[in-house]
Amino acid sequence: QVQLVESGGGLVQAGGSLRLSCAASGRTFNTYAMGWFRQAPGKEREFVAAFSRSGISTYYADSIKGRFTISRDNAKNTVYLQMNKLKPEDTAVYYCALRGTSALVQYTSAYDYWGQGTQVTVSS
């Protein structure tokens, strides 16, 4: 099946930047219906950013709007999350995921494949 592998996480000071990558393997598919989620200790997994199925529109959680940007390289089967102006509350494990037919981009139940996650820690 599809395998998704996140990378690019690490430790960064508040106000700094990181770029996460999600590389897909195991099959060829478009990366339009991809999304990013995150999960902090003791909290539920929450939506961060995603593409529409058409790949034309992007969606962002209010908590990161204006700071994070989702992008993709279809030739590389890779999706990116550029994170700027990071805050301590952004600390979490970040996951990429691939949706099925659902257009409900902010719901975890809409996604069929998930990566293992990459840790992002923002210090104050």
Side-chain angles (χ1 to χ4, degrees):
Q1 298 194 92
V2 173
Q3 183 175 4
L4 306 175
V5 180
E6 301 94 337
S7 62
L11 175 64
V12 65
Q13 290 285 119
S17 299
L18 286 172
R19 189 180 75 158
L20 306 183
S21 298
C22 175
S25 63
R27 56 156 287 185
T28 300
F29 64 98
N30 72 62
T31 57
Y32 299 158
M34 293 288 292
W36 287 94
F37 290 77
R38 67 186 183 185
Q39 188 166 24
K43 294 186 176 181
E44 295 184 352
R45 193 166 298 185
E46 66 175 349
F47 170 75
V48 176
F51 291 106
S52 67
R53 289 187 66 191
S54 69
I56 297 174
S57 300
T58 55
Y59 301 87
Y60 296 98
D62 289 342
S63 60
I64 57 87
K65 187 177 181 180
R67 299 187 297 120
F68 293 8
T69 303
I70 187 171
S71 62
R72 67 182 185 270
D73 185 336
N74 287 331
K76 296 180 179 180
N77 282 341
T78 300
V79 176
Y80 305 94
L81 184 68
Q82 179 66 47
M83 306 186 295
N84 299 321
K85 300 179 180 179
L86 283 160
K87 304 175 181 179
E89 51 263 45
D90 295 320
T91 295
V93 176
Y94 283 71
Y95 300 88
C96 66
L98 176 63
R99 293 199 307 279
T101 59
S102 177
L104 303 175
V105 300
Q106 74 271 39
Y107 295 102
T108 59
S109 60
Y111 293 79
D112 296 326
Y113 299 95
W114 294 83
Q116 295 297 108
T118 185
Q119 177 71 48
V120 172
T121 302
V122 184
S123 64
S124 59

